[in-house]
Amino acid sequence: MRLELFDFIDEVSNLLELNQPTFQYVEHVLTDLFENLMKKEKGDVIVSISSRIKSKESLKEKLIRNKYYLEYETAEDAVNALPDLVGLTLECRFISDENNIFSELFHHFQQTSKGTYQCVANHDVYLNLNMPQPQLQRNGFTIYRIDGHMVFNQKKINFELQIKSLVHSFWSEVEHQVVYKNTQFVVYDSFVKNILASIRDNLEVVDRQLQIVYKQLIDQSQSDREIGMSEGGFKIFIAKAINDLVALKMNETVGFTTDFRKCSSVLSQYIYIKDFVSCEHPQYRMVEYFEHFNLLQIMDFDFSYPIYLENSYSHPDPFCNIIGQYWESIINIDFEWHVFFVMLFAIEPGNNIQDFSKFIEIIKNLIIPPSWYHEQFSQLGDVNGQMCRDVFAEVVAKTMVKVGKIDIIHEDKLLNMLELFRDFIELVSMRTHSIEEFNENLEDYSSTLEHKIVNLF
């Protein structure tokens, strides 16, 4: 013969099953209500809102654990006493958001004469906001858990509202699935408690780190709203698109890939300067580039085939001429340079020699800003001043050719050369009072400048 308590448990379970439609309706109303209340006010702080109706298995466990079979005479009394027939969880991003969301509830629930708090938007829903929060759990950790009820057909349906951050939700699952469902751990109770406490502490550290990362992303996102994407955001996007494209196409055509990240950054800087600095409608150009990169993903271009320029390169500017003729000579010999120019010409479809020339001119301007450089040696007159400027531009170009590595166009090296060249030229210009004096010291100046640049690499 079975114990009476099991007959009582069966009665409660049957009553729970019988009232399922009512509980499902209440669950639906509460979910919609809190979605409307919280998402309007807290934006994307609320990650998700989940709900559940207490299962038979959970009900049996609770009836036995809390000894409801001794406290209540009828199944109906026991069901009415259950505080969490319906469970609702507001899941937020970070631990610090939990208290903010709890405080927000006071804007939507007004205290009644009986001390409970009634929902302004739905007078059938009540919360006990007088409960101290967060509450201490049996495991020693805290949780925001609020008792509530909804009046439906003149009956009170109890529900429980929890507020949990992502790491606390994760922790609840770990604790439930790993600890409470594994009775073998009871033997090692004190050891397990210490380990679990350590894991919990580490999760809170992770929460703080994630919050820092999230804030950084939000700050960047807000700054990117000026034209749909900021200068920095756009260049990062383009650089990533180029780098991903190189990896894809190199694997397809030659079976391996190289580290192209710094070259991708240079190409994105080039695109930005060429197409966006003075562009009247940058949004349209951005969309065009997005579409172009999508097209390149399905186009065929092969890194194992040589590049052909429409004609031999020649430029009246000494810097451009030296750099251009060097690149033309090694474009199909040095594989790093070859990959770089394959990508340049793929990104800029059309006349290769024109794109080649434009890229060299922009590289020169990044190292030797034209408006600033034109003022240097102006005290020597137009002709002599230009001669001095041409001489040093040639020194820079020849030194870059001497270095030869693709590093010479990496953004950090270009910036280093810009700063070095500016400081050096301003000092020499200030010390030079005549063309004779300049010519007398030219060899020393040239060797010093060359030495400084080489040392950057």
Side-chain angles (χ1 to χ4, degrees):
M1 183 176 180
R2 289 203 315 167
L3 295 175
E4 289 185 11
L5 73 92
F6 290 105
D7 292 332
F8 179 78
I9 289 172
D10 287 343
E11 289 179 28
V12 175
S13 298
N14 292 335
L15 188 60
L16 183 73
E17 184 68 28
L18 185 64
N19 285 280
Q20 277 297 305
T22 297
F23 300 149
Q24 288 171 358
Y25 173 78
V26 170
E27 179 189 23
H28 176 72
V29 170
L30 291 174
T31 302
D32 285 350
L33 173 65
F34 281 95
E35 279 183 353
N36 292 330
L37 293 181
M38 304 310 297
K39 288 205 171 184
K40 282 182 182 177
E41 297 293 334
K42 304 307 291 180
D44 63 352
V45 172
I46 300 291
V47 176
S48 67
I49 297 179
S50 59
S51 61
R52 59 104 186 107
I53 297 171
K54 183 168 282 297
S55 66
K56 284 186 176 182
E57 292 74 17
S58 177
L59 175 66
K60 291 177 182 178
E61 181 185 346
K62 191 154 194 169
L63 290 173
I64 294 174
R65 187 177 67 244
N66 293 344
K67 297 187 177 181
Y68 278 33
Y69 58 89
L70 295 177
E71 189 172 351
Y72 300 101
E73 293 184 0
T74 68
E76 188 172 357
D77 289 340
V79 169
N80 292 337
L82 287 170
D84 59 345
L85 274 171
V86 177
L88 201 67
T89 300
L90 307 181
E91 189 173 65
C92 54
R93 294 187 187 280
F94 308 111
I95 295 172
S96 59
D97 293 330
E98 293 177 346
N99 184 63
N100 294 336
I101 293 171
F102 173 71
S103 300
E104 190 67 33
L105 292 173
F106 287 90
H107 293 107
H108 303 289
F109 287 79
Q110 292 183 344
Q111 191 167 22
T112 66
S113 58
K114 296 180 181 180
T116 59
Y117 284 76
Q118 185 180 40
C119 180
V120 176
N122 186 334
H123 291 177
D124 292 328
V125 179
Y126 297 81
L127 285 179
N128 183 2
L129 295 178
N130 293 317
M131 301 167 65
Q133 301 293 342
Q135 294 192 344
L136 191 66
Q137 300 177 91
R138 288 180 300 139
N139 59 15
F141 300 120
T142 57
I143 184 175
Y144 282 84
R145 192 194 66 78
I146 307 154
D147 289 338
H149 71 269
M150 177 177 168
V151 178
F152 179 67
N153 287 339
Q154 299 181 338
K155 288 186 177 182
K156 286 174 56 177
I157 310 298
N158 293 330
F159 70 91
E160 179 182 272
L161 178 68
Q162 295 187 3
I163 305 171
K164 289 183 179 180
S165 63
L166 289 172
V167 296
H168 282 169
S169 292
F170 170 75
W171 173 252
S172 295
E173 283 299 312
V174 169
E175 198 170 42
H176 181 70
Q177 298 295 336
V178 176
V179 182
Y180 295 133
K181 286 197 173 184
N182 191 342
T183 56
Q184 293 178 354
F185 277 160
V186 174
V187 179
Y188 311 103
D189 190 50
S190 61
F191 172 73
V192 168
K193 283 184 178 179
N194 291 334
I195 292 297
L196 291 175
S198 175
I199 295 172
R200 171 72 177 237
D201 291 342
N202 288 334
L203 282 176
E204 293 188 356
V205 172
V206 169
D207 175 85
R208 289 192 290 272
Q209 292 172 333
L210 288 174
Q211 195 165 11
I212 292 170
V213 171
Y214 182 74
K215 184 178 184 303
Q216 181 68 29
L217 292 174
I218 289 298
D219 291 345
Q220 179 63 46
S221 174
Q222 289 173 345
S223 68
D224 287 347
R225 292 174 185 169
E226 300 169 6
I227 58 171
M229 188 178 286
S230 68
E231 171 188 343
F234 175 74
K235 288 195 289 188
I236 290 172
F237 174 86
I238 291 294
K240 184 181 185 305
I242 294 170
N243 196 66
D244 291 347
L245 187 61
V246 169
L248 173 67
K249 294 300 181 180
M250 281 193 70
N251 275 319
E252 287 179 357
T253 58
V254 296
F256 63 89
T257 188
T258 59
D259 187 351
F260 200 75
R261 286 173 296 180
K262 289 190 175 182
C263 290
S264 297
S265 297
V266 173
L267 287 172
S268 71
Q269 174 78 340
Y270 165 71
I271 290 170
Y272 184 81
I273 293 171
K274 184 176 75 70
D275 289 335
F276 290 91
V277 168
S278 58
C279 180
E280 292 184 1
H281 302 288
Q283 301 96 325
Y284 301 149
R285 292 296 290 140
M286 286 181 182
V287 172
E288 289 174 5
Y289 267 103
F290 297 160
E291 293 175 347
H292 182 53
F293 276 105
N294 286 334
L295 181 62
L296 287 174
Q297 293 280 343
I298 59 175
M299 285 180 60
D300 293 328
F301 55 91
D302 198 328
F303 290 98
S304 64
Y305 284 87
I307 296 171
Y308 295 102
L309 301 178
E310 288 79 1
N311 51 267
S312 297
Y313 179 77
S314 180
H315 200 288
D317 179 86
F319 178 97
C320 295
N321 200 52
I322 292 168
I323 292 291
Q325 290 188 3
Y326 166 68
W327 282 344
E328 185 180 16
S329 70
I330 54 90
I331 197 170
N332 292 317
I333 297 174
D334 188 317
F335 190 66
E336 283 188 316
W337 285 114
H338 177 75
V339 171
F340 180 85
F341 284 108
V342 168
M343 291 308 303
L344 173 64
F345 298 147
I347 294 167
E348 300 290 328
N351 189 297
N352 287 354
I353 195 70
Q354 290 177 359
D355 296 331
F356 187 72
S357 182
K358 184 66 176 178
F359 177 75
I360 295 168
E361 290 167 2
I362 287 179
I363 288 296
K364 182 198 173 185
N365 292 340
L366 288 174
I367 302 172
I368 308 174
S371 58
W372 162 79
Y373 199 42
H374 186 71
E375 297 175 359
Q376 308 305 313
F377 305 103
S378 57
Q379 72 274 18
L380 302 181
D382 292 342
V383 176
N384 289 334
Q386 188 59 48
M387 184 198 72
C388 295
R389 290 189 289 271
D390 287 346
V391 165
F392 285 123
E394 286 185 31
V395 171
V396 175
K398 289 178 179 177
T399 307
M400 290 173 68
V401 169
K402 181 179 179 180
V403 172
K405 299 184 293 186
I406 203 165
D407 303 46
I408 61 175
I409 60 166
H410 289 168
E411 279 191 295
D412 55 339
K413 299 302 182 183
L414 291 173
L415 178 62
N416 290 340
M417 283 192 282
L418 164 65
E419 295 172 344
L420 185 155
F421 187 72
R422 183 188 290 272
D423 292 343
F424 179 82
I425 293 301
E426 287 180 350
L427 181 61
V428 172
S429 178
M430 183 180 64
R431 291 179 176 178
T432 302
H433 302 95
S434 67
I435 190 62
E436 291 78 18
E437 182 182 5
F438 177 82
N439 288 330
E440 183 179 341
N441 296 292
L442 177 57
E443 186 176 346
D444 289 340
Y445 290 152
S446 298
S447 62
T448 300
L449 179 58
E450 177 185 338
H451 179 72
K452 286 178 176 289
I453 294 173
V454 169
N455 281 344
L456 292 176
F457 301 90

